[in-house]
Amino acid sequence: MRKVLLATTALGMSAGVAFAQDMGMADDGMMMEPASSVTVSGDGRMGIISTKDEELKFSSRVRVKFALAATLDNGLSAGGDIRADNAGSGMSGTGGKIFLSGPFGTLSMGHVDPGAKAAVGHVASVGYVNQGDPNEITYIRGGTDGEEPALLYTLPKLGPVQVYASVGMHTSVIKDSEGNPVPANDPPEYTHTLNTKLSEINAGNVDDAVTSDLVKKTQTEISADTLSIGAKADMEIGGLGTAWIGGGFEASTNEAQDGQIVLGAGASVSGFTGTIVAGMQGRDAGEDGANNDVEQFAVSAGYSAGQMGVTVFYTDDKDYGGDEALGAGFNWKLGGGAELKAGFTNWPAKTEGAEDHQTADLGVTFAF
């Protein structure tokens, strides 16, 4: 990956001094380690996809990434990363993550993985687009609209074992005993919201399709909604390859969710790779006393030799409201950070009598 390292310089310095600092040189001409840096990189993709609706269309994307790093005077490390496409509303920078690291471990805040996901993750994907993320299982991030940044604590590594713990928060509307939103002010204040009426559009009344409604402002509160902890152990397989095993537990303030356990394992030996992930969650029984516990499962396998690689996966996430999917993919490294990828996924019908759906893609990915 081609990266540009920009050493930070003080404003007002001459161009010659700035050039010397950018080159990592001190005033006496000796090389010096920059105290802080900004790394610019990016990725892109272009190709053609076939959707579940059997639509054939082009699909492309290009993204710029920024990674920041600094060594503080007290010896601690700090930094963060963000993409140009998730910088947040108004380019406020809330879409990335930031961290502080030292002998105590690493504290990360922002768009970070929950502890269980950091330890276990997902099985391998296929294709260059991975339409609908069919290889992924469900983790409890909690939160709704207005989700707040999460806090992830990565403990210092204990031999081969890495432990993660996280707290997720979200903003929710306060409701009264009857389930109605509590007004923010007395008397209540209102705000305008724009709505698009599809019925008017379908009827050809485009001028009447957009309307403005008065909505009562409500009281909100921020609360922790998800606690997640995970651990992962790495190991060698007799010099033939590597393996890992991990697990995690997630608890939610959602009364209908009693907690989730996620387990996973993987190995890479002589070009062969494999990953298996399973999750189980307890949910309160329904009014009829039926058991509402849910399970999820995913497995992938792959083989690579030289520039070529193949991957297959199977995922069953139906209990969590997701999908069941079976996919296969092919990739060929073109060099210079470019890779040709193709993928095919079959999505079995969720109801009896319905038809299966298929997605496919063929394209090139780039790393800059």
Side-chain angles (χ1 to χ4, degrees):
M1 180 180 294
R2 301 184 182 90
K3 298 181 179 179
V4 180
L5 184 64
L6 307 176
T8 56
T9 58
L11 291 176
M13 287 188 173
S14 67
V17 174
F19 175 78
Q21 289 182 338
D22 283 345
M23 294 299 292
M25 300 181 65
D27 293 340
D28 58 3
M30 299 295 291
M31 296 300 294
M32 55 180 273
E33 188 72 20
S36 60
S37 64
V38 177
T39 303
V40 183
S41 62
D43 62 58
R45 69 189 189 201
M46 58 185 294
I48 190 168
I49 65 175
S50 174
T51 68
K52 282 185 178 181
D53 298 326
E54 298 182 352
E55 294 179 343
L56 199 64
K57 61 181 183 180
F58 295 126
S59 176
S60 64
R61 180 181 72 184
V62 62
R63 301 186 300 188
V64 178
K65 302 178 182 180
F66 302 92
L68 298 81
T71 301
L72 308 183
D73 293 340
N74 55 14
L76 300 181
S77 298
D81 61 74
I82 196 168
R83 298 196 313 262
D85 64 307
N86 70 356
S89 177
M91 297 300 290
S92 62
T94 58
K97 64 181 178 183
I98 191 166
F99 71 85
L100 180 66
S101 181
F104 55 84
T106 301
L107 285 172
S108 305
M109 185 176 291
H111 283 209
V112 296
D113 288 335
K117 183 179 179 181
V120 179
H122 299 294
V123 300
S125 62
V126 299
Y128 88 103
V129 175
N130 197 32
Q131 297 183 60
D133 301 321
N135 64 303
E136 297 186 0
I137 66 168
T138 300
Y139 287 91
I140 305 177
R141 168 57 178 92
T144 56
D145 292 340
E147 187 177 273
E148 297 293 326
L151 174 65
L152 174 66
Y153 176 35
T154 305
L155 281 69
K157 200 165 186 178
L158 303 174
V161 179
Q162 184 71 73
V163 178
Y164 309 87
S166 67
V167 179
M169 306 186 75
H170 76 286
T171 302
S172 58
V173 175
I174 299 176
K175 297 182 179 181
D176 57 25
S177 58
E178 298 179 356
N180 299 314
V182 177
N185 304 91
D186 189 15
E189 294 183 2
Y190 292 84
T191 183
H192 287 273
T193 62
L194 294 178
N195 299 283
T196 302
K197 294 185 177 180
L198 295 178
S199 58
E200 297 291 348
I201 295 177
N202 293 333
N205 303 322
V206 179
D207 293 339
D208 298 326
V210 179
T211 61
S212 178
D213 293 338
L214 286 175
V215 178
K216 187 184 299 183
K217 290 184 177 180
T218 58
Q219 296 183 27
T220 61
E221 62 180 354
I222 299 176
S223 60
D225 62 4
T226 309
L227 300 175
S228 182
I229 185 170
K232 179 181 180 181
D234 297 308
M235 61 197 76
E236 296 285 338
I237 308 178
L240 299 176
T242 60
W244 65 270
I245 185 171
F249 175 76
E250 297 182 292
S252 171
T253 56
N254 186 335
E255 296 180 355
Q257 297 177 341
D258 296 329
Q260 169 168 281
I261 296 175
V262 181
L263 302 172
S268 179
V269 180
S270 301
F272 291 92
T273 59
T275 304
I276 183 170
V277 177
M280 298 150 282
Q281 184 185 89
R283 296 187 179 180
D284 291 344
E287 296 180 358
D288 56 357
N291 183 4
N292 287 336
D293 293 351
V294 294
E295 299 176 351
Q296 53 187 343
F297 173 81
V299 60
S300 67
Y303 176 74
S304 60
Q307 298 171 289
M308 179 272 296
V310 292
T311 303
V312 294
F313 79 87
Y314 170 76
T315 305
D316 185 350
D317 197 41
K318 298 190 301 298
D319 285 357
Y320 284 73
D323 295 283
E324 180 183 12
L326 175 65
F330 168 85
N331 62 283
W332 185 274
K333 295 179 181 178
L334 303 175
E339 194 167 357
L340 175 67
K341 294 184 177 181
F344 173 84
T345 301
N346 183 70
W347 310 69
K350 292 185 177 181
T351 58
E352 186 176 352
E355 295 183 355
D356 293 356
H357 292 281
Q358 291 80 36
T359 57
D361 58 63
L362 172 66
V364 181
T365 62
F366 305 91
F368 303 106

